[in-house]
Amino acid sequence: MRFVIIGGDAAGMSAASRARRSDPELEITVLEQTQDVSYSA
Amino acid sequence: MIDDLVVRQADVFRNKMGIEVLTDHRAEGIDRVGRVVTGKGPQGVFAIPYDHLLVATGATPIMPRQPGWDRPGVMVLKSLDDGRRIKAFLASRPVRSVVIVGMGYIGMEMAEALRAQDIAVAMVKPRPALLPWLASELVETVSATLEKAGVAIHTGFDVAQIVDDGDRLQVMAAAGASLTADMVLVAVGVRPNSDLAAAAGLALGPDRSIAIDAQTRTSDPAIRAAGDCADAFHAVTGQRTWIPLALRANRTGWAAADDVCGKPVTLPAVVGSAVFKVFELGVARTGLTAKEAADAGFEPATVTIHTASRAHAHPGASRIQVHLVGDKGSGRLLGAQMVGREGVAHRINTAAAALHAQMTVEQFSQMDMAYAPPYGPAWDPLLVAANQLIKTL
Ligand SMILES: Cc1cc2nc3c(=O)[nH]c(=O)nc-3n(C[C@H](O)[C@H](O)[C@H](O)COP(=O)(O)OP(=O)(O)OC[C@H]3O[C@@H](n4cnc5c(N)ncnc54)[C@H](O)[C@@H]3O)c2cc1C
């Protein structure tokens, strides 16, 4: 099962981390157009 | 340091959490039938299959299209790279004056940061009111604070074009006025990054945000959306709304993950709680303004009061202004706004809780609130305002 996330900031990385905690088997891929993920404005 | 803002680096997600993070990868298309995302990355085009897709593309600053807005020295602030660009520009030359186009919270926060470096700041906007959603007495406090801090306010200044003036920039209004600056910061608002979703045929909500349900699902159940690109239900109106803020982004991200992992999820509605700091002032709101209430079919009554931020005679007290909106028909509390040097940011959350609970102004006025002299008067400013508002309902 593959979970693909477009956008690696507040919403996208929250989802990625939470999904990993719930399901160690899930394949999680984040696509982020910049070099930065999860910054806080 | 800008890089201190990065909460967690991509490597931590990759190595410690087993999350594949592909930076420099821009998604450009969603094939909903084949369940594939396509786009461009450092190795050229990519096509990545999905079982579940989350669109968390956020929002983009609105950039006007008149001549000259593409000049170097015309900046926006959204991403870390924008911040790096602004810092590099400020370091690369003597910047004595900046024109900020737009007077929202980001513009005001930038005004404060620039004044702290002793840079002259002028803020311009086409419409007459500084913060159009804020009650007029509260606006007066904000503009007095800006002026005292040396920020020039030009309302009714509709920028027509920006032209080079030697090393500097000239910002010209449609009506003929002009301002000279070393840098122009554009902060006129954001729009949701929903083009990808729209091109894939997903249903859109207010302001072209992506419409989602209480499980964050879009009109295609294999695709969820979260954060600034997605809409929300408003707890006061029951209608769809678009209010792009950080808590909601984090919360919808969690909800999307839970839904993908098969956990039960029901996203709560929003009430639009927000706070920002402008010099020594806090400015906060939750719920509806009187105009939004009227537009939603309520019959709004309002009250604006001011009290001291601390008990009578407690040293260091300042003024807190409270504006409440209630509904004449039902007696419900519909919204609250506050401005003050202290005691504003967290006090607004009491009103937010009342909105979530759909309290009447009467019920709100009966709430048991904490009191000690350093933190407020015995009758909390919110209660003073509620007691006044009851009389007009
Ligand atoms: C200066 C500033 C101050 C702020 N202050 C506050 C505050 O005090 N309180 C508050 O609540 N909110 C604040 N906000 C708003 C807050 O930052 C946002 O609500 C939050 O960042 C939204 O997170 P998000 O993940 O939905 O979207 P974003 O942060 O916009 O992230 C979206 C990500 O998706 C990426 N992306 C977009 N399209 C693609 C694509 N096609 N392919 C790959 N990647 C893509 C982008 O590069 C970006 O990294 C502030 C915003 C700014 C700019």
Side-chain angles (χ1 to χ4, degrees):
Chain A
M1 185 91 114
R2 192 172 199 181
F3 182 25
V4 176
I5 299 169
I6 308 175
D9 193 22
M13 297 321 291
S14 293
S17 316
R18 178 95 162 181
R20 170 55 70 239
R21 280 195 295 276
S22 303
D23 185 349
E25 304 300 314
L26 190 66
E27 273 184 74
I28 306 172
T29 301
V30 178
L31 306 173
E32 168 54 50
Q33 66 189 357
T34 69
Q35 294 277 0
D36 299 305
V37 293
S38 188
Y39 53 95
S40 52
Chain B
M1 267 287 290
I2 282 188
D3 292 325
D4 293 343
L5 293 174
V6 176
V7 180
R8 239 181 256 171
Q9 304 282 353
D11 287 348
V12 175
F13 287 105
R14 285 189 197 110
N15 304 333
K16 296 228 166 83
M17 302 183 72
I19 295 167
E20 185 183 28
V21 180
L22 303 175
T23 51
D24 269 325
H25 279 64
R26 182 180 160 76
E28 293 180 340
I30 301 169
D31 169 4
R32 286 168 52 191
V33 178
R35 298 203 174 174
V36 174
V37 182
T38 53
K40 280 199 201 76
Q43 283 92 43
V45 296
F46 62 78
I48 295 176
Y50 65 86
D51 298 294
H52 295 284
L53 180 66
L54 176 64
V55 181
T57 46
T60 300
I62 295 167
M63 202 61 179
R65 294 196 191 280
Q66 287 99 327
W69 292 81
D70 55 350
R71 306 306 309 145
V74 181
M75 311 274 187
V76 294
L77 177 60
K78 177 70 176 72
S79 63
L80 287 189
D81 266 341
D82 295 332
R84 292 183 187 111
R85 261 192 295 278
I86 291 171
K87 282 196 105 171
F89 189 87
L90 292 175
S92 71
R93 69 197 73 200
V95 171
R96 284 161 296 158
S97 69
V98 173
V99 168
I100 299 177
V101 184
M103 296 190 194
Y105 75 94
I106 291 173
M108 300 221 179
E109 290 175 352
M110 279 304 293
E112 182 178 347
L114 293 165
R115 289 299 297 139
Q117 298 194 33
D118 225 16
I119 295 169
V121 175
M123 299 184 80
V124 309
K125 68 172 289 184
R127 286 197 286 173
L130 187 63
L131 292 157
W133 51 268
L134 190 66
S136 56
E137 285 113 309
L138 280 62
V139 171
E140 280 166 29
T141 308
V142 175
S143 40
T145 296
L146 286 169
E147 271 159 33
K148 204 179 105 227
V151 177
I153 308 274
H154 301 267
T155 52
F157 191 112
D158 191 2
V159 179
Q161 59 171 332
I162 300 170
V163 296
D164 287 334
D165 181 0
D167 277 352
R168 312 187 76 201
L169 294 163
Q170 221 184 323
V171 183
M172 302 170 85
S178 95
L179 293 165
T180 306
D182 301 297
M183 185 176 109
V184 176
L185 190 84
V186 184
V188 296
V190 292
R191 61 179 171 76
N193 290 327
S194 57
D195 289 351
L196 197 58
L202 300 179
L204 299 183
D207 298 305
R208 280 182 64 81
S209 57
I210 304 168
I212 59 169
D213 65 12
Q215 285 73 44
T216 73
R217 295 183 195 171
T218 67
S219 51
D220 177 340
I223 306 180
R224 292 167 184 75
D228 280 5
C229 64
D231 74 355
F233 282 94
H234 200 292
V236 180
T237 63
Q239 303 295 309
R240 288 183 179 273
T241 186
W242 183 61
I243 305 176
L245 287 169
L247 169 61
R248 176 78 184 177
N250 286 274
R251 178 173 280 152
T252 50
W254 278 19
D258 286 353
D259 194 42
V260 165
C261 295
K263 294 189 183 172
V265 180
T266 310
L267 259 184
V270 300
V271 292
S273 307
V275 62
F276 63 90
K277 176 175 177 289
V278 45
F279 296 94
E280 70 268 20
L281 276 187
V283 181
R285 73 170 286 184
T286 188
L288 305 181
T289 66
K291 181 174 182 303
E292 288 165 351
D295 289 348
F298 293 104
E299 199 188 334
T302 65
V303 69
T304 306
I305 61 110
H306 60 88
T307 69
S309 64
R310 304 183 189 185
H312 176 66
H314 196 278
S318 54
R319 195 172 74 142
I320 287 194
Q321 289 171 294
V322 179
H323 174 81
L324 291 184
V325 183
D327 180 34
K328 281 189 182 149
S330 63
R332 262 176 79 183
L333 181 69
L334 300 177
Q337 307 184 338
M338 255 182 272
V339 168
R341 293 167 69 111
E342 60 179 13
V344 159
H346 299 294
R347 194 171 259 121
I348 200 71
N349 293 332
T350 311
L355 293 176
H356 278 290
Q358 315 236 317
M359 281 188 193
T360 63
V361 179
E362 170 84 38
Q363 288 168 330
F364 184 55
S365 77
Q366 301 297 327
M367 276 180 72
D368 186 17
M369 296 191 191
Y371 159 68
Y375 300 111
W379 287 97
D380 189 272
L382 284 171
L383 296 176
V384 174
N387 287 335
Q388 294 277 332
L389 184 57
I390 289 170
K391 296 180 199 158
T392 68
L393 293 177

